[in-house]
Each structure stands twice: as structure tokens, then as C-alpha cells.
Amino acid sequence: MTIPFQEKPMLDETDETVIRRVMRDARPGASAQSARPRRASEKLAWTLPGFCANARVQTSFGHVPIEALRPHDPVRTKAGDYLAVAWVDRIQLDAEFLMLHPAAYPVRLPAGCIDRGVPCRDILLSTAQVLHLPHRTGANARCTAATLVGRRRIRREAVPSLTYFMFHCGRPATVWVDGLWVDTAPD
């Protein structure tokens, strides 16, 4: 027995129309407006902390590149104890995203730009990463990497693409990364 061939109708919708329709139908209450892509003129505030590859995290078994960090690895805290990493995440940003959203470009902290040996080597990190500054107390002790741009050779760095690595210890903690004390906190 032969089954007759049935030609499927050609779609005449544009990709954007299809995406809007799928997004509208996929989430109750979602509008087609929320599915539209951002335009270059729309500002994106980058709020995610993180580090680029090769940042070294102090663990109980030495300094480990952040990209090699795994759940349950014990990381050193400012309090002097070690906390187990609860989870590690990576966020990959391609050239198109970075071109449209330059707020996501990382900050380069050159070795020794904050204090003698702090950081202990050049490091790239998110503008939203919270740092603890040595020899400071109170409200001045903590700042985001973005607030340091323009001081002592600290600058934003335009890169063609990048991956931010984030990790959390299941509770707020201050941990050692390349000679800097930095905050991690669960979402």
C-alpha cells in the first residue's frame, strides 16, 4: 500500500515573528513584546559577578584555576576556614552580545594595582564583582570592580568573546582569588 505524499505548506513568517509567537505561547502571561531582541540603543546593566579564565582560587589543595573548580572543593574564606563550593557556573558571551552590550566587558586589574602584591597577578573580572580593599574599614572596605576603573592602570578591556565563571558556597562568603578577597553569595 502506498501512502500519498502530502506537501507541507511553506512558512511565510520571519524568524522574529516565529520567536515572538513561540515566546508568547510558551509562557502564560508573556507578551510578544518581551520576546523581541534588544536593540543596540538599549542599555543593559551588567549585574552578574564573576571571573574570566585563569583566575586562581585558593583551596585546601592549592591555587586552582577557576575553570577547574568543582562542587565540594574546599575554598579558603577570609574568616580562616574552608567552605565547600556548592555550585559553579559559566556564562559565555559572544562577540555579538558584547558589541550590543559593552557593559558586560570585563575589568582588568593589573598585578599590584590595589596594594603591594594585590592582586598577585593580572586578573580579568566582571564589573559587578565585589572586592574587599586592603587597609580599609567600614563602607569603604568593599567596592565593585567597576568603581576602580580609571585608577592605577585599572581599565575595562574590550575582548571579542569571553566566559565568566561564578561559584557559590551555599551561603555568603568572602574568598581568596589571586590575592584579592572577593564576595560570593548564593542567589
Side-chain angles (χ1 to χ4, degrees), residues 2-134:
T2 306
I3 300 175
F5 175 74
Q6 293 181 338
E7 189 174 327
K8 293 185 179 182
M10 295 290 290
L11 293 176
D12 62 347
E13 297 177 287
T14 65
D15 289 343
E16 188 172 336
T17 304
V18 171
I19 290 169
R20 285 183 182 174
R21 184 173 43 79
V22 168
M23 292 299 291
R24 182 190 66 233
D25 295 343
R27 292 183 287 146
S31 69
Q33 181 68 16
S34 66
R36 74 174 171 75
R38 280 189 192 269
R39 306 229 188 283
S41 61
E42 296 179 58
K43 297 288 184 191
L44 171 75
W46 187 256
T47 60
L48 293 174
F51 299 88
C52 292
N54 296 320
R56 305 231 179 241
V57 181
Q58 187 172 10
T59 68
S60 64
F61 42 85
H63 302 127
V64 174
I66 196 161
E67 62 272 24
L69 203 61
R70 300 290 179 254
H72 308 293
D73 285 352
V75 294
R76 180 178 174 208
T77 70
K78 195 171 184 179
D81 58 342
Y82 288 86
L83 287 177
V85 170
W87 62 271
V88 181
D89 201 2
R90 69 177 57 203
I91 300 167
Q92 295 179 318
L93 306 178
D94 64 13
E96 182 180 3
F97 181 89
L98 290 167
M99 183 179 67
L100 292 173
H101 309 293
Y105 281 129
V107 172
R108 175 172 293 280
L109 298 179
C113 69
I114 294 176
D115 199 5
R116 174 176 247 143
V118 179
C120 59
R121 47 191 246 128
D122 286 11
I123 184 173
L124 282 172
L125 61 154
S126 166
T127 56
Q129 183 61 56
V130 176
L131 315 170
H132 290 248
L133 300 176

Side-chain angles (χ1 to χ4, degrees), residues 49 51 75 83 129-130 166-175 177 182-186:
F51 299 88
V75 294
L83 287 177
Q129 183 61 56
V130 176
M166 303 183 323
F167 67 96
H168 300 287
C169 298
R171 65 178 172 91
T174 303
V175 299
V177 178
V182 299
D183 284 351
T184 65

